[in-house]
Amino acid sequence: MISAKRALVCLAPGFEEIEFTAPVDILRRGGVDVKIASILDDMSPVEGRTTIKISPECLLSEISENELFDLVFVPGGLKAAESFAASKAIGDIYTRHNNQNKLVAAICASPILLNEHKINHGRRITCYPALAVRLDGNYKYSTDSVVVDGNMVTSRGPGTAFDFGLKLLELLQGAETKDEVAKAMLYTS
């Protein structure tokens, strides 16, 4: 029996809600087991940029150092991205998963965490246009909506959240599953 693919999504205050909900919804529709973790110290709901609150399923600090996911990703939102970039725990989990060639992903402002934690310098990347300068020339910047370079997936912002989620699903479950989910959602690119 094939085990389900597993993803970890991390939340911090000020996250961009659509960049969280669209990919999580798409991944779950496609059969991916998604765990929602907060970088906070308690299980209180995490408030997004537009004050929508999401209840985490666990704390990031509860994730074992031996536990691996097929995908780790974070939504954007500048306040959240700054928290992810400053978080040793986020840096550790991204580094550990990257070193095991698992998918590591970020959207909008959050690719700055990849630079801060020195993940895959030299590869192709995208992010919210105003934050490209925060990548310090350590990447090959692209204006594509979604960029895949090896095991790293990045995307530009709220308007690309569906494309980002569908690409993550395709990488985890294959093009057929991605196409089925997109069709059922009436998605057209």
Side-chain angles (χ1 to χ4, degrees):
M1 182 170 102
I2 298 173
S3 61
K5 297 288 185 174
R6 299 174 62 233
L8 176 67
V9 57
C10 302
L11 292 177
F15 70 95
E16 185 72 54
E17 292 93 339
I18 196 167
E19 296 167 2
F20 163 80
T21 56
V24 168
D25 181 275
I26 289 166
L27 290 169
R28 286 184 171 173
R29 286 174 190 253
V32 177
D33 177 14
V34 180
K35 184 179 272 193
I36 302 166
S38 172
I39 70 166
L40 301 176
D41 294 330
D42 62 57
M43 291 290 290
S44 60
V46 182
E47 187 172 278
R49 192 185 69 74
T50 64
T51 70
I52 295 172
K53 294 180 181 179
I54 301 291
S55 295
E57 298 166 340
C58 68
L59 300 177
L60 183 59
S61 61
E62 296 171 347
I63 303 294
S64 163
E65 289 184 17
N66 299 318
E67 189 170 9
L68 285 176
F69 295 85
D70 300 289
L71 162 68
V72 175
F73 88 89
V74 293
L78 185 57
K79 182 178 175 187
E82 296 286 3
S83 295
F84 297 138
S87 169
K88 181 182 182 319
I90 288 287
D92 289 348
I93 203 155
Y94 266 76
T95 299
R96 185 168 76 243
H97 282 77
N98 187 58
N99 289 345
Q100 293 295 318
N101 205 35
K102 302 296 183 181
L103 293 175
V104 291
I107 184 171
C108 194
S110 286
I112 66 172
L113 85 83
L114 299 168
N115 188 44
E116 185 64 31
H117 298 295
K118 298 174 178 43
I119 305 292
N120 296 326
H121 282 170
R123 290 195 187 174
R124 288 182 66 241
I125 196 170
T126 195
C127 67
Y128 194 78
L131 292 171
V133 297
R134 296 277 305 271
L135 301 176
D136 301 327
N138 290 321
Y139 298 92
K140 297 170 190 157
Y141 185 74
S142 170
T143 58
D144 292 346
S145 294
V146 178
V147 172
V148 179
D149 192 338
N151 66 319
M152 187 171 76
V153 185
T154 53
S155 190
R156 301 195 73 188
T160 64
F162 273 83
D163 293 331
F164 178 65
L166 288 166
K167 179 52 74 176
L168 294 175
L169 180 59
E170 179 181 5
L171 293 169
L172 290 172
Q173 301 284 63
E176 185 176 329
T177 299
K178 185 260 311 181
D179 290 344
E180 289 171 3
V181 169
K183 182 178 179 183
M185 292 175 32
L186 305 179
Y187 177 82
T188 57
S189 56

